[in-house]
Amino acid sequence: MARHGSNSEDYAGPLKRLLLAVLVLCLLGLFVFWRIDSPRAERFRAQIIDAVIPGFDWAMAPVTGIVTLLRDFQSYQRIHEQNQELRRELRQMTAWKEAALQLEQENARLRDLNNVRLDPRLTYITGVVLADSGSPFRQSVLINVGSRDGIVDGWATMDGIGLVGRISGVGANTSRVILLTDATSRIPAVIQPSGQRAMVTGDNTATPPIDFLENPDLVKPGDRIVTSGDGEVFPPGLLIGQVAQDPGGRLRVRLAADYERLEFLRVLRDHGARRVNAPSGLILPAPLPEAPEATAEEPAAPADAGSNG
């Protein structure tokens, strides 16, 4: 048995080498035959290809599937890159849209300012609102015009529609505007069409009350309220708002100015009005003159005419 196994191993090695040599010769012959440039060899090669290649469709299927998968992956990668690019463009367009909306709102506010009809004797300068007081006890805003622009204490300020307040405090480049809603604000007004005079008194709410009415029965909600010009505080005829009535029955003012969106304010140059040296002069009455004090010694009474007789 051992000798039979050793004979098989002795024949296996030469047989493998012989088969390898035959395979190499066949491949070499096929290569040489495939390189022959002859019409007869070309027809023979075409017949071999027609006979062999169609039968290898099953073998080429995995290769075709892998190639298709690679192409699809490349296509998906390009689609992903395009999607990312579109997302970036969308974010940019969203930012541009926000900027366009803000510019449109500012443009609308400026157009409103230009449409306000004022006394031809009044000139104005437009300022940008920088900040507000942020306090529930003081209603004011800061604008970017000041003494370098000729701003004076006491001048009226308006938005695109109605009166907003007055200048109270002027710096070189900025000014403080006390709003009509501030508790220190007192505006002489006329209610149309009745012609009733009243005082619009700020109370730190969005609808200041109406005080000192001559005849409240002649006033009804919806009536127009304008400045009266009394006391030379404001020029006459500036729109303040409309009369409204609260649940308690008290008459208040629904202000025409949009206090929620104060972006630009028009400062009216009222050169004909008196110049306010102290802002408190607009809200506090002038002090009364003091009474002369009595002299220590009483003057001598004149002599009785009957005593000379």
Side-chain angles (χ1 to χ4, degrees), residues 122-125 143 145-147 149-158 163-170 175-178 232-235 238 266-276 282:
L122 295 175
T123 58
Y124 60 87
I125 179 172
I143 58 177
V145 290
S147 59
D149 305 293
I151 302 300
V152 176
D153 266 323
W155 280 358
T157 60
M158 303 182 68
L163 186 66
V164 172
R166 58 176 172 80
I167 299 294
S168 177
V170 180
S175 300
R176 175 72 62 180
V177 178
I178 297 296
E232 297 182 352
V233 176
F234 287 137
L238 302 180
R266 172 182 288 181
V267 183
L268 304 184
R269 295 190 182 103
D270 187 11
H271 298 289
R274 64 180 175 87
R275 181 181 291 250
V276 179
L282 292 175

Side-chain angles (χ1 to χ4, degrees), residues 293-302:
E293 297 180 357
T295 58
E297 297 181 359
E298 295 292 337

